[in-house]
Amino acid sequence: MRKKNNSRRIKSGLLIILLLLSLSGVMGGLWLKHHTYQPTAAARQALQSATVKLDQIIFPAHGQRQLTVIFYPGALVEPASYAPWAHQVAQAGYTVKIARFPLNLAILAPKQARALVPAHQAYVIGGHSLGGVMAARWAHQHHPAALKGVFFFASYPDQKGRLDHTSLPVLSLTGSRDGVLNWSRFRTAQKYLPRETTKQTITGGNHAEFGAYGPQKGDRAAIISNHAQQTAITQALLKWLATLH
């Protein structure tokens, strides 16, 4: 009898633990969803030119250029928030693919690019904030001839994503009013960049306006409009992409 009772208690205890873990997971998911930055009206408008899939958002190229731009969003930012500049880059002739991650965290699926890389076509990869760090790790581990460059929006490569051993062209964009970027780590990470790195600061721009999702906790106020920063991003990215042909 004692053995049966003990067995029942163990089973009951395990059931309670499983229920608590499930509840904890649900609560955690709800918390993350509540704290995820959502696209502005302008971003939702630009999104109308895209195809939204479970693992990515695709902005088809206007024209016949072959280069594809793969992008990893920042942490807890809805991918659609990057639609304004993505739409403009696609209009200039480049297919843009924005990755979608579990809970909007690139660190949970850093190899998501696998599903986005075009077959037998050239591509570049980059990202914003944490997304850029994860994109660099992909480039560090996978640098076939088809990979033509890496770009960072308010981001940098860490040691696991170091690119200094490659000859890949890199674009690094920052905002002069960025209050979220860890500038100390950013400066330290410069040693992980290859020689062929183009660096540009968007004067008056901040961290959040590399997307279009409103103010971000810890950021400084931008002194240029979101439209102006999106335009600056588009122009800098297109100028860099043109050098890769």
Side-chain angles (χ1 to χ4, degrees), residues 21-221:
L21 288 173
S22 297
L23 181 61
S24 177
V26 170
M27 294 300 292
L30 290 173
W31 185 91
L32 287 172
K33 186 174 181 180
H34 179 71
H35 287 81
T36 294
Y37 294 99
Q38 301 296 325
T40 63
R44 291 194 297 271
Q45 176 67 30
L47 187 66
Q48 293 182 16
S49 65
T51 299
V52 180
K53 297 186 176 183
L54 287 175
D55 58 354
Q56 60 189 285
I57 298 174
I58 305 171
F59 291 82
H62 182 77
Q64 298 299 318
R65 293 186 187 175
Q66 296 299 306
L67 194 62
T68 294
V69 177
I70 295 174
F71 183 76
Y72 279 16
L76 299 181
V77 179
E78 279 288 343
S81 303
Y82 300 94
W85 67 258
H87 169 77
Q88 293 300 321
V89 171
Q91 287 295 300
Y94 300 92
T95 296
V96 180
K97 296 183 178 182
I98 302 177
R100 301 182 72 188
F101 296 101
L103 301 177
N104 292 307
L105 291 168
I107 198 168
L108 296 181
K111 296 181 181 179
Q112 186 79 316
R114 238 179 231 157
L116 283 68
V117 171
H120 313 299
Q121 291 184 8
Y123 71 97
V124 297
I125 190 169
H128 176 217
S129 200
L130 178 63
V133 177
M134 295 300 108
R137 290 186 184 183
W138 166 271
H140 173 83
Q141 296 168 9
H142 309 83
H143 44 273
L147 178 57
K148 301 301 181 183
V150 181
F151 62 98
F152 298 95
F153 292 170
S155 186
Y156 50 84
D158 63 3
Q159 189 172 15
K160 292 182 180 179
R162 62 188 306 163
L163 303 171
D164 52 308
H165 65 292
T166 76
S167 57
L168 286 168
V170 167
L171 172 66
S172 176
L173 296 182
T174 55
S176 66
R177 300 277 298 170
D178 195 323
V180 176
L181 178 65
N182 187 318
W183 288 99
S184 176
R185 290 184 182 177
F186 175 82
R187 286 188 287 270
T188 299
Q190 299 306 293
K191 64 186 178 184
Y192 298 137
L193 291 170
R195 183 172 298 178
E196 193 177 345
T197 298
T198 301
K199 301 175 185 178
Q200 182 177 331
T201 300
I202 299 175
T203 303
N206 66 4
H207 194 84
E209 291 196 352
F210 276 100
Y213 52 86
Q216 185 166 349
K217 184 178 180 181
D219 206 2
R220 299 170 69 195

